[in-house]
Amino acid sequence: VEVSVGSNLEHIVEGIALNGEPGVIWMDVTRQYGRLIDPINNKDHRAAGYNPCAEQSLESFECCTLVETYLNRHDSIEDYKRTLKFAYLYAKTVTLLPTHWEETNAIMQRNRRIGTSMSGVANFADRVGVPALREWMDQGYRTIQRYDNVYSEWLGIRESIKMTTIKPSGTVSILAGESPGVHWTPGGKYFNRTIRFANEDPMLPLFKMANYTVEPASESPNTTSVVYFPIKSDAARAERDVTIFEKMSLAATAQRYWSDNSVSVTISFDKDTESEHVGTVLHMYDGQLKTVSFLPSGNHTYPQMPYTQISEKEYTDASSKLFAIDLTGVYAGMASDAIGERYCTTDSCEIKFIKDNSKAN
């Protein structure tokens, strides 16, 4: 739902506490502010809404242009600033590419909106503390701002009206061993990540041969299988170990010191013990966020959940039984995901026609 600062949200709190819906968007804050530590600038006064994950405010026909960085993969803030330079250049360069829609091209040329994101935020805060996180965010933002001033002039284009964001991330962060976006890792330090595959997927026999746990999916056993991947992360705490108040506070910190677009955050809460606090945190952080959504947990558990927390022993036992997977066939095109689409690619089209000699055309 779209609200304004100071709105009475009592009529939606009960639904959020019950099933997490609806999410909340403060469009007045969105249109007036970049980062919330900075003064009102009204640069985004034309914003009509958000992308589906609610990290990028957008005009109709506008593109997100996202790029992601990882805080914990850097030894110093200077090292991180160097990564931000290349991340910024990549995103800014993408805005130079025309699309097939004139309306989109016009908006992109006017706004040059990009979304330089950071992941591993919760892990970083747990590891070195929130004061250091605020410093990295603030200095990182000013670094991107400086690059935008320089390179926009070099390129002869407008400076970006907004440049930073926090993506929800997810599986991409797991591949880097990081907590997703501004969230704590759902499974903590050791967890099973379950992924569903169609029963005819050619990857499935490879997982079975490598000794991964494979089960029929509870909701569609005849067509789908679930594969369990044991994961070890650098997380100090799991999502369930963090209160609803701390989760809101971290998101607000990112909105204040880093993201001039928005922070995509889903605040999970224990349905048994924290649902009564939903209205409280919405009131406390009114005007300190641009978007927020919620997700109840606790007794609201389903079979074969995407993330299942396990012990160190369970992780060791499961991973020690695994064999390496021969991916030769996958890279040769055996897996369905590895088969490229034909038809239009870049500026040319590849369409296969079958010649029919029985007809003269």
Side-chain angles (χ1 to χ4, degrees), residues 304-325:
Q304 300 169 329
M305 291 283 282
Y307 303 91
T308 307
Q309 200 164 358
I310 58 177
S311 66
E312 181 178 2
K313 183 179 185 303
E314 288 174 313
Y315 167 79
T316 303
D317 290 346
S319 59
S320 63
K321 299 174 183 177
L322 301 179
F323 299 100
I325 298 177

Side-chain angles (χ1 to χ4, degrees), residues 197-205 208 222-225 334-336:
F197 293 83
N199 286 344
E200 64 272 13
D201 194 305
M203 288 289 290
L204 212 53
K208 293 178 180 178
N222 296 326
T223 61
T224 308
S225 293
M334 182 189 75
S336 55

